[in-house]
Amino acid sequence: MNMQAQNRQTAAETALLDSYNAQIGELPGNGAVISARDRLVDDLKTNGLPTRRVEAWHYTDLKTLLRSIPASGPASSVRNPAPLVDAAALIKTRQGEADGNVSVDGIVVGSYADMLREGTAAPGLSVIDKDDTIGKINGSFVRDGYVLEFPAGAEIGQPIEIQALHGAGQAHTRFPVSFGAGSKATVIERHIQTTDGQAFVSSVSDISLEDGAEVTWIVVQEQGADDTHLAQVRVRVGNNAKLRLFVINAGGKLVRQELRIDVAGEGADLQLRGVNLLGGDTHTDVTLVLGHNVPNTTSTEIFRNVVFDRARGVFQGMIKVALDAQKTDARMACNTLLMSDDAEFAAKPELEIFADDVQCGHGATVADIDDNHLYYLMARGIPHNKARAMLVNAFVAEIVEELEDEALVEALEAIISNWLEKHA
Amino acid sequence: MLEIRNLHARIAEDGTEIIRGLNLTVKAGEVAAIMGPNGSGKSTLSYILSGREDYEVTEGEILYNGENILELDPAERAAKGIFLAFQYPVEIPGVATMQFLKVAMNEQRKARGDAELSTPDFIRKVKEAAAELKINPDMLKRPLNVGFSGGEKKRAEILQMALLEPKLCVLDETDSGLDIDALKIVADGVNALKSPDRAVIVITHYQRLLDYIVPDTVHVLYKGQIIRTGDKQLALELEANGYADIIGQAA
Ligand SMILES: Nc1ncnc2c1ncn2[C@@H]1O[C@H](COP(=O)(O)OP(=O)(O)O)[C@@H](O)[C@H]1O
Ligand SMILES: [Mg+2]
């Protein structure tokens, strides 16, 4: 269907297409990559950005919400944030391009720009489905990123921290990461704005866990107050592999974080946890599409959302259990604290179950701060705002503490309390 | 230290008047007991002293060291030295007890313009106070009051009081749910705080606690008013004869 016929092109849509045209010949890629990009841009041009009429985008009408797109091209981006945990090996992109030569003991680090130039990236520049707008945008504009390969059996004790840094302007990165059979690792993926100004950011992490791999993957989104952040984590979890995926949103103006997870190997386990800290006039959407596609797999998904001011949050959680995925055990919960009368959160958990011998459940709650708790803390001399922040912290701390790693827990708690100090 | 004059207060939500023209004076250094049948308004009075928003003062005033405190929020009152040991302390999951104690102590210090405690000093103080009250240190590792037994909660309240060193201590039925050993420990804790510049208000049903925390004055609260004031003899009388006579005389 040609949406353009129905909808006039918005300023942002025009800017996107103009931006692509302006970068023709400049974006890295061989012939195959360029045709893949052209196809994606063509799709964007024909179909436009998704509106609320597209079910997958119903709560995030990107066409309306995305008002403008800053020009591409580098901006100065000077800050060098310290890694979340001291011991981490840092891998950085700056304004969408690899920053410095990187080598990390025990793993193979390659350049995604090289993959684009050589054409090996071309097959990955495809969409998951027709509503994969993030895949389209990122595939069109991506310039660089890192390719990480954790060899089979590698046990990497040192956490790896990918920092995607940017100032104003555009930044589009991609990180294909494979964890070999039996490997063990912790990766932190951070998106950080380092200077003021509006940014338009897209990022795709394309992760695979081979048999028996055990991985902790932490996404920390700390974008600026004017930034659009469109991100996707694509994961395939192999036989007996265990993935602990933790996502925290603590920034951005317009955010869509998609989690597209394929539990593809028997005995695989996914523990997904999310914390969404929303304030100001922001819009944040976490969309999960989780497929349990083989028998005997397990997963739990818990999201805790705190919404201040006039912020709007969305959680769409779709769990699909395939016909032969017997003995699937999947549990999803989405709990929200609304901190103001104008705050909003839409939670849409969905189960689509084709197998008959499964245990699946979901629940969603919305509450505000318990006045009795607030009074008790205040009666001990803790001022209102501080007491409120403590209670919000309490609401999300449970999720963070599950990570067990003390340094990591402390670092994430610091992000949460810093955020609360600014917003509560 | 505390002067309550013709206090009228109602439940904010539905307007029911609970405190109906209450007068009470408590001097520095004094231990005052408030007794009275269930539902008289004892807890309500303590909540109003602490600044709980669920109640609305419609008339009268509360002077604390000469200052009208009705406009202050609970945190401000606490920083000025008003402490209420709750009849039913709430459980707050996710808030670590130690963190709570530290924040409370330091926020009160900040409000008074004192320097914050260092972590070692803080830990030392808590350990000492907990040992005095025979509180199992493991309890302090749990979230605030979560899974504490009734008696443990009461002791935890007294621990907070010992650490915060308030000037006006209000104990709302701290004795209920305590066995005799725990009662003595708690009473010792309260007595240790007694000083010429502090006052203690003990709300209780039973003479038992008053054997250990000996009151200077005893007040009977009934239907939102103090209907009788006396010395510790009055408590013994109530123990022997119940409230009926006094209520009859007041009516
Ligand atoms: N927040 C409230 N909502 C409804 N009723 C209340 C509330 N607070 C107090 N009351 C009522 O006020 C009266 C006095 O209660 P309370 O102060 O707890 O008495 P006491 O502590 O002397 O037993 C009781 O009838 C009680 O039910
Ligand atoms: Mg009571």
Side-chain angles (χ1 to χ4, degrees), chain B residues 11 18 37-44 55:
Chain B
I11 299 168
I18 308 288
N38 273 330
S40 298
K42 302 184 298 294
S43 291
T44 302
Y55 304 96

Side-chain angles (χ1 to χ4, degrees), chain A residues 3-247:
Chain A
M3 301 285 270
Q4 224 186 330
Q6 299 169 13
N7 294 311
R8 292 210 4 234
Q9 209 171 61
T10 63
E13 285 167 338
T14 308
L16 261 183
L17 300 174
D18 287 352
S19 174
Y20 184 74
N21 290 332
Q23 294 180 78
I24 286 175
E26 201 193 304
L27 288 167
N30 73 349
V33 163
I34 290 169
S35 353
R37 289 188 194 274
D38 286 344
R39 272 196 301 277
L40 296 173
V41 171
D42 226 44
D43 183 331
L44 281 171
K45 189 172 171 179
T46 312
N47 295 311
L49 292 170
T51 68
R52 58 187 309 110
R53 286 193 299 273
V54 176
E55 203 194 336
W57 293 84
H58 182 71
Y59 297 93
T60 299
D61 185 321
L62 198 61
K63 195 177 182 96
T64 311
L65 290 169
L66 188 62
R67 293 295 178 82
S68 64
I69 304 244
S72 71
S76 61
S77 160
V78 282
R79 206 157 60 82
N80 281 304
L84 212 52
V85 290
D86 290 342
L90 269 186
I91 296 180
K92 292 193 234 184
T93 64
R94 209 176 276 278
Q95 212 66 32
E97 303 201 24
D99 186 59
N101 286 322
V102 175
S103 79
V104 180
D105 281 352
I107 71 171
V108 183
V109 182
S111 149
Y112 185 69
D114 285 351
M115 271 182 80
L116 289 165
R117 281 187 285 264
E118 289 155 11
T120 45
L125 299 183
S126 54
V127 293
I128 299 172
D129 53 44
K130 68 178 177 25
D131 301 327
D132 182 8
T133 303
I134 295 177
K136 291 176 203 173
I137 291 173
N138 183 265
S140 305
F141 293 99
V142 63
R143 277 174 178 268
D144 205 351
Y146 289 99
V147 188
L148 308 185
E149 238 183 271
F150 292 75
E155 294 194 14
I156 312 295
Q158 181 185 31
I160 314 294
E161 177 166 323
I162 301 170
Q163 288 189 348
L165 307 174
H166 66 86
Q170 294 191 28
H172 305 278
T173 48
R174 198 173 277 232
F175 305 99
V177 180
S178 63
F179 296 94
S183 62
K184 291 192 172 133
T186 295
V187 177
I188 299 159
E189 173 192 334
R190 274 174 96 187
H191 298 273
I192 307 175
Q193 178 222 41
T194 56
T195 56
D196 287 343
Q198 186 198 5
F200 179 67
V201 176
S202 79
S203 187
V204 173
S205 297
D206 204 340
I207 304 166
S208 73
L209 276 68
E210 302 305 324
D211 295 0
E214 287 183 21
V215 174
T216 297
W217 186 284
I218 295 173
V219 179
V220 184
Q221 184 270 108
E222 301 164 271
Q223 301 292 29
D226 300 316
D227 294 355
T228 296
H229 177 80
L230 303 176
Q232 199 173 68
V233 176
R234 303 176 176 178
V235 195
R236 187 189 165 281
V237 190
N239 288 324
N240 298 311
K242 292 190 180 349
L243 173 63
R244 201 204 292 255
L245 177 58
F246 184 99
V247 180

Side-chain angles (χ1 to χ4, degrees), chain B residues 97-139:
Chain B
T97 303
M98 287 299 271
Q99 190 219 355
F100 159 75
L101 291 173
K102 190 170 182 193
V103 173
M105 288 169 80
N106 280 332
E107 287 299 325
Q108 291 208 13
R109 295 173 84 92
K110 267 201 268 179
R112 293 195 286 258
D114 296 338
E116 291 187 28
L117 284 170
S118 70
T119 301
D121 281 351
F122 162 73
I123 290 175
R124 187 178 44 75
K125 275 178 186 280
V126 174
K127 277 194 174 153
E128 282 173 13
E132 291 280 318
L133 292 164
K134 304 220 162 46
I135 286 173
N136 183 348
D138 285 345
M139 228 171 86

Side-chain angles (χ1 to χ4, degrees), chain B residues 74-109:
Chain B
E76 292 167 323
R77 296 187 199 194
K80 287 191 181 285
I82 296 176
F83 181 94
L84 167 58
F86 289 97
Q87 183 174 4
Y88 304 109
V90 295
E91 302 191 2
I92 309 189
V95 172
T97 303
M98 287 299 271
Q99 190 219 355
F100 159 75
L101 291 173
K102 190 170 182 193
V103 173
M105 288 169 80
N106 280 332
E107 287 299 325
Q108 291 208 13
R109 295 173 84 92

